Amino acid sequence: MRKKNFKGRCEKRVIGKCAEVCRTYDAIQYAYADLLQASDEVVVIASDKM
């Protein structure tokens, strides 16, 4: 979980299965987004905004 006022870098990129711009905050999230994009079992990647 990230802090509310996270001061680190955010990478933004477009992924086909995500309706919005996909934001990743570290290398693990970036790699996991690639894994979800490549998986045939995943249909849509939804974001959770709080």
Side-chain angles (χ1 to χ4, degrees):
M1 181 173 227
R2 304 280 176 239
K3 292 182 179 180
K4 186 174 181 181
N5 295 323
F6 180 70
K7 298 286 184 180
R9 292 208 174 247
C10 172
E11 289 189 40
K12 298 176 187 174
R13 62 186 180 143
V14 177
I15 294 180
K17 293 183 181 179
C18 188
E20 301 174 3
V21 174
C22 182
R23 293 173 176 85
T24 55
Y25 296 93
D26 57 24
I28 295 171
Q29 288 182 342
Y30 192 93
Y32 193 63
D34 287 338
L35 183 72
L36 292 175
Q37 177 64 23
S39 175
D40 292 334
E41 295 178 6
V42 177
V43 178
V44 176
I45 301 171
S47 66
D48 182 30
K49 295 183 179 178
M50 296 185 120

